[in-house]
């Protein structure tokens, strides 16, 4: 298992190892410090976060390095020393100790380290309760967030003075906004604006910008919002079970699901008012107000509704697309493309294998096929086989698209720095519908654009004949074959090239000439 993890790390992973998820949650809270028990090489998180998020402050993560000297005398002294040093230097509210998948091999009693440090530390100290061999980054983040919330609420419950009082006005907690999340900060701002329009105040946002000392206030909210399935569901489920708090896990992405989200929020608020014997509005007028709000936002704030019916967007109707990413974003973008923009989804997929059943249920009937995998080579082979007009995926699918001359809109983590924009780019809510519509439209390469560039000599002036996902070098292109290929318009050249190479491979042809190209065309029925 360990060898498999290391090989994937060296190759490509859609979701990183477990300790990255724990560190993302820890560094999102205010005044929380993480101690990473790890060898050199596992301590790249600080650089990654500061680079991608463009954070002004230092990432609150310290690596307690495991080397041969530490192993010779045992890790306990070094780990406890680092915890107590950070306690004195930083005075954090909480210190979280986490091993990495590499240091977990040592099978050390880290809970004993934590217990010993907690006796002398003024900060709270906990060990991340995550199985590093069985879960990935997102699962670990979900578990760590729930563990921290449970730690503080259970401790609060043991006090005689503890009692839960709901806020006077409707309020909500937003759970699952955290560092390195895909457009999380922008989505959070849009959610706050949306809830403010509905007369709902924000009680707490966790973990990003939240304080562990305020976690005792979580049960005061009327309900919880979980915008992304990957992180937050465990916490919301715990709060529902222990404190009777309902939660909304409809992701308000796209016109249809944003409306469904608002109606669900309205129903929960009405139910809570009845429970508290508060006025529930004027029957149908309350629901009528919500429907009026949805209608006005759909028509005048979101530009996506009319744009999807415009001649520009109709040019995309029926075009083939592939969608791949985390469960939340891949499912939502699939629904938007198919239901709201009339685009044909040849394949929808996710790397969140732990949520495969939910994903299948969400996209069932909206696509030709479903792919559940965390192996990027399977995704690449699927894209090469389908040859869609556009891809909507992660940074990896963008790389694949570049090699195949297929445009790609990035809609999900993992991403590169360009997908941590400084400007306002939410994907949720009604402003999110505008951003997504732009992304979708601009991700398609329209044939006329390529053709005009070809005519005026501004594109494809070099002979590119090697773009392929395959490293197969069993054949070469003859000069007359290259010349003939260059005459084909750019927007279909890649497809002709790949079909010709496939024909050559199947027929053990080592050199592709003009005659081979014609034979391949004839064999394909062209």
């Amino acid at each position: 298992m360990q060898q498999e993890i290391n090989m994937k790390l060296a190759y490509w992973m859609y979701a990183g190892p477990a300790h990255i998820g724990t560190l993302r949650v820890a560094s999102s809270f205010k005044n929380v410090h993480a101690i990473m028990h790890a060898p050199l090489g596992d301590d790249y998180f600080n650089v990654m976060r500061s680079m991608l998020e463009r954070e002004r402050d230092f990432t609150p993560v310290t690596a307690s390095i495991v080397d041969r000297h530490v192993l010779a005398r045992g890790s306990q002294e070094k780990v406890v020393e680092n915890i107590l040093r950070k306690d004195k230097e930083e005075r954090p509210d909480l210190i979280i100790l986490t091993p990495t998948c590499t240091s977990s091999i040592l099978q050390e009693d880290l809970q004993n380290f934590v217990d010993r440090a907690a006796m002398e530390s003024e900060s709270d100290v906990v060990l991340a309760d995550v199985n590093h061999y069985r879960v990935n980054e997102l699962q670990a983040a979900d578990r760590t967030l729930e563990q921290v919330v449970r730690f503080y609420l259970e401790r609060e419950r043991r006090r005689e003075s503890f009692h839960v009082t709901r806020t006077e006005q409707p309020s909500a907690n937003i759970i699952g906004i955290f560092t390195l999340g895909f457009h999380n900060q922008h989505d959070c701002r849009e959610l706050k604006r949306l809830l403010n329009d509905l007369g709902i105040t924000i009680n707490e946002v966790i973990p990003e910008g939240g304080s562990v000392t305020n976690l005792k206030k979580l049960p005061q909210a009327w309900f919880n919002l979980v915008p992304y399935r990957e992180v937050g569901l465990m916490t919301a489920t715990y709060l529902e079970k222990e404190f009777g708090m309902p939660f909304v896990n409809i992701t308000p992405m796209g016109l249809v699901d944003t409306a469904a989200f608002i109606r669900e929020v309205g129903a929960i608020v009405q139910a809570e008012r009845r429970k508290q014997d508060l006025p529930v509005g004027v029957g149908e007028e309350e629901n009528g107000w919500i429907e009026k709000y949805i209608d006005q936002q759909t028509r005048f704030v979101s530009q996506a509704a009319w744009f999807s019916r415009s001649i520009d967007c109709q040019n995309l109707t029926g075009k083939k697309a592939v969608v791949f990413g985390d469960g939340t974003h891949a499912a939502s973008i699939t629904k938007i493309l198919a239901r709201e923009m009339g685009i044909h989804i040849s394949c929808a997929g996710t790397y969140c294998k732990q949520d495969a059943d939910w994903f299948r249920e969400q996209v069932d009937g909206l696509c030709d096929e479903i792919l559940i995998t965390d192996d990027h080579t399977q995704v690449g082979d699927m894209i090469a086989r389908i040859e869609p007009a556009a891809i909507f995926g992660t940074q990896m699918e963008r790389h694949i698209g570049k090699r195949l001359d297929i445009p790609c809109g990035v809609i999900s983590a993992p991403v590169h720095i360009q997908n941590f924009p400084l400007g306002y780019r939410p994907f949720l809510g009604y402003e999110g519908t505008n951003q997504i519509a732009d992304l979708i439209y601009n991700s398609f390469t329209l044939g006329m654009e390529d053709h005009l560039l070809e005519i005026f000599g501004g594109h494809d002036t070099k002979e590119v004949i090697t773009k392929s996902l395959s490293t197969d070098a069993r054949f070469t292109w003859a000069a007359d074959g290259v010349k003939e290929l260059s005459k084909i318009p750019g927007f279909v050249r890649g497809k002709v090239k790949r079909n010709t190479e496939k024909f050559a491979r199947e027929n053990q042809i080592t050199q592709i000439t003009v005659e081979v190209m014609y034979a391949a065309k004839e064999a394909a029925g062209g």
Side-chain angles (χ1 to χ4, degrees):
M1 179 65 184
Q2 181 61 40
Q3 186 180 7
E4 180 184 345
I5 291 173
N6 288 338
M7 287 182 66
K8 284 187 175 182
L9 277 171
Y11 196 40
W12 171 274
M13 292 178 70
Y14 283 104
H19 74 274
I20 295 296
T22 293
L23 296 179
R24 286 176 63 187
V25 169
S27 59
S28 295
F29 277 113
K30 290 189 296 187
N31 206 31
V32 171
H33 200 91
I35 303 286
M36 178 172 42
H37 183 49
L40 281 171
D42 279 358
D43 54 348
Y44 57 87
F45 176 78
N46 294 24
V47 176
M48 180 173 68
R49 179 175 180 267
S50 59
M51 178 186 72
L52 294 179
E53 287 279 22
R54 302 181 177 99
E55 288 287 343
R56 301 182 185 185
D57 302 323
F58 287 109
T59 300
V61 174
T62 299
S64 180
I65 299 298
V66 180
D67 56 25
R68 60 191 178 89
H69 301 294
V70 171
L71 292 175
R73 62 187 177 91
S75 301
Q76 186 177 58
E77 294 300 326
K78 176 81 175 286
V79 171
V80 172
E81 176 187 312
N82 282 326
I83 291 174
L84 296 179
R85 179 168 57 84
K86 282 299 166 184
D87 173 53
K88 290 182 174 62
E89 290 176 357
E90 309 285 345
R91 295 298 180 193
D93 297 315
L94 171 67
I95 296 175
I96 297 178
L97 174 66
T98 179
T100 65
C101 51
T102 310
S103 62
S104 295
I105 296 173
L106 301 175
Q107 296 291 307
E108 295 170 298
D109 187 1
L110 296 183
Q111 185 61 55
N112 182 268
F113 298 4
V114 164
D115 293 341
R116 181 178 158 191
M119 293 172 64
E120 301 179 47
S121 171
E122 292 187 19
S123 309
D124 294 318
V125 186
V126 301
L127 171 66
D129 183 17
V130 172
N131 187 323
H132 288 75
Y133 296 111
R134 294 188 178 276
V135 301
N136 63 28
E137 172 186 351
L138 297 175
Q139 293 168 291
D142 199 18
R143 170 65 185 129
T144 300
L145 180 58
E146 189 260 358
Q147 181 189 359
V148 172
V149 169
R150 183 188 292 267
F151 176 83
Y152 281 96
L153 285 178
E154 292 300 322
R155 187 171 72 179
E156 198 68 26
R157 265 179 152 179
R158 291 193 290 269
R159 296 177 178 168
E160 293 182 5
S161 59
F162 177 73
H163 64 280
V164 175
T165 304
R166 298 281 195 256
T167 58
E168 290 186 12
Q169 298 300 318
S171 61
N173 299 313
I174 302 177
I175 302 174
I177 305 292
F178 71 137
T179 190
L180 296 178
F182 184 77
H183 293 233
N184 273 199
Q185 307 296 340
H186 311 275
D187 285 348
C188 189
R189 281 174 56 189
E190 188 62 19
L191 274 178
K192 288 178 178 178
R193 187 196 70 78
L194 181 57
L195 292 174
N196 182 65
D197 286 351
L198 298 174
I200 296 167
T201 59
I202 303 299
N203 187 51
E204 294 289 333
V205 177
I206 60 168
E208 183 62 33
S211 170
V212 292
T213 59
N214 286 340
L215 291 178
K216 60 187 177 184
K217 298 179 181 178
L218 286 174
Q220 295 177 3
W222 286 27
F223 61 100
N224 295 309
L225 298 179
V226 184
Y228 317 110
R229 287 186 62 81
E230 288 71 31
V231 179
L233 268 182
M234 287 184 72
T235 302
T237 302
Y238 163 74
L239 292 171
E240 181 182 52
K241 179 181 177 182
E242 299 297 329
F243 298 95
M245 301 178 70
F247 65 88
V248 179
N249 65 339
I250 298 172
T251 301
M253 199 180 301
L255 290 170
V256 175
D257 281 354
T258 299
F261 169 86
I262 293 171
R263 293 185 184 106
E264 180 72 10
V265 167
I268 286 177
V269 169
Q270 289 286 59
E272 187 63 28
R273 281 177 172 158
R274 293 189 184 94
K275 192 186 300 181
Q276 297 186 43
D277 293 325
L278 297 173
V280 295
V282 216
E284 291 300 314
E285 290 186 21
E286 181 75 14
N287 292 333
W289 181 85
I290 287 177
E291 293 303 325
K292 184 178 179 182
Y293 174 78
I294 292 171
D295 179 63
Q296 288 182 330
Q297 294 289 308
T298 301
R299 288 197 292 157
F300 302 115
V301 175
S302 170
Q303 306 298 310
W306 72 262
F307 178 72
S308 64
R309 296 192 294 272
S310 69
I311 188 64
D312 283 331
C313 197
Q314 285 178 17
N315 286 333
L316 304 180
T317 302
K319 281 187 176 289
K320 291 194 300 183
V322 163
V323 182
F324 192 86
D326 66 32
T328 296
H329 289 86
S332 293
I333 295 297
T334 297
K335 288 188 277 188
I336 292 168
L337 289 168
R339 298 189 305 200
E340 300 178 21
M341 302 191 79
I343 293 168
H344 184 91
I345 310 299
S346 298
C347 182
T350 181
Y351 57 81
C352 295
K353 298 194 294 184
Q354 71 276 9
D355 219 7
D357 291 342
W358 175 85
F359 184 81
R360 288 191 180 94
E361 180 185 325
Q362 294 297 303
V363 303
D364 183 45
L366 299 177
C367 55
D368 295 341
E369 58 184 277
I370 298 171
L371 179 63
I372 312 291
T373 182
D374 59 3
D375 181 350
H376 74 87
T377 61
Q378 291 185 29
V379 181
D381 290 344
M382 174 268 292
I383 292 171
R385 170 174 55 83
I386 291 174
E387 295 184 337
I391 309 164
F392 298 93
T394 73
Q395 188 68 25
M396 187 61 201
E397 282 65 55
R398 185 170 171 270
H399 295 327
I400 292 169
K402 279 191 170 185
R403 295 186 67 184
L404 295 173
D405 281 326
I406 301 173
C408 177
V410 178
I411 53 96
S412 165
V415 294
H416 195 44
I417 194 168
Q418 67 193 38
N419 294 111
F420 288 89
L422 295 172
Y424 189 48
R425 290 278 308 278
F427 269 46
L428 302 187
Y430 288 105
E431 177 55 32
T433 64
N434 298 331
Q435 299 293 337
I436 292 171
D438 275 343
L439 175 70
I440 292 171
Y441 183 74
N442 294 331
S443 293
F444 282 93
T445 298
L446 302 181
M448 184 56 69
E449 176 189 9
D450 246 6
H451 195 51
L452 288 173
L453 287 169
E454 183 87 26
I455 291 171
F456 292 106
H459 191 48
D460 281 351
T461 55
K462 59 184 181 295
E463 296 171 352
V464 179
I465 63 166
T466 57
K467 287 189 176 179
S468 170
L469 282 180
S470 171
T471 56
D472 194 340
R474 286 178 292 176
F475 46 74
T476 57
W477 281 77
D480 60 345
V482 172
K483 185 177 179 180
E484 185 69 19
L485 190 65
S486 68
K487 296 177 183 177
I488 299 170
F491 62 94
V492 293
R493 186 180 304 153
K495 184 174 182 179
V496 170
K497 174 183 171 294
R498 288 191 294 276
N499 286 344
T500 304
E501 290 179 346
K502 181 181 178 183
F503 174 82
R505 190 179 300 112
E506 290 173 349
N507 291 276
Q508 288 81 46
I509 296 172
T510 57
Q511 187 176 51
I512 299 177
T513 62
V514 174
E515 288 74 18
V516 173
M517 291 181 68
Y518 289 146
K521 181 181 179 182
E522 186 177 341

